[in-house]
Amino acid sequence: MTGEALNVVFTGPAILEDGRLIPRSNLVAACKQFGAIQVQPRVRGDTDLLVASRTDTVKAKSAAASGIMVLSYQTFVDRHLCGACLPEDGEVDRFTDSVWNPAWSPEGNGLLALMDQL
């Protein structure tokens, strides 16, 4: 960790093990509540931790290769936000909080079936 604050970047939707989707705005508010967690908009040289919904992405692999610890949302919440109020409701960002449905992929024919209905 560099300095006093833990510099954290979030990537992907925050889905906990129990299936709850926590809006990014609620995670950022909880980090501010603890005070020693600084949320950054992107990975930088002083980033300590990448919190990711998936660890098999280019971003997660690059961060890990650079020595940045990569954690799941559940692990981050358990280790760093223990006791924080993380409501499911709140401001949802269509970019950071959206969940990809595999049925939409061409491989699953969900997208093609949807296009056929148009």
Side-chain angles (χ1 to χ4, degrees):
M1 198 164 82
T2 59
E4 291 198 18
L6 179 67
N7 294 317
V8 176
V9 173
F10 295 124
T11 185
I15 302 173
L16 302 182
E17 288 177 358
D18 61 6
R20 290 185 303 142
L21 173 68
I22 307 299
R24 177 88 46 97
S25 59
N26 293 353
L27 282 169
V28 172
C31 289
K32 287 180 182 178
Q33 202 177 18
F34 279 81
I37 303 172
Q38 177 66 42
V39 179
Q40 298 176 317
R42 66 189 168 286
V43 175
R44 305 185 313 212
D46 63 342
T47 300
D48 300 303
L49 184 61
L50 177 69
V51 182
S53 52
R54 294 179 37 202
T55 58
D56 63 341
T57 63
V58 171
K59 186 184 286 186
K61 288 179 180 180
S62 296
S66 299
I68 297 170
M69 183 181 293
V70 179
L71 296 179
S72 70
Y73 279 96
Q74 186 68 56
T75 302
F76 176 75
V77 168
D78 292 346
R79 288 185 189 173
H80 300 284
L81 297 180
C82 186
C85 178
L86 291 173
E88 294 176 62
D89 62 340
E91 183 180 337
V92 176
D93 183 295
R94 68 183 181 134
F95 298 107
T96 60
D97 298 322
S98 64
V99 178
W100 176 256
N101 184 335
W104 299 336
S105 71
E107 295 83 20
N109 290 330
L111 182 59
L112 297 176
L114 179 64
M115 290 174 65
D116 287 341
Q117 294 175 4
L118 300 176

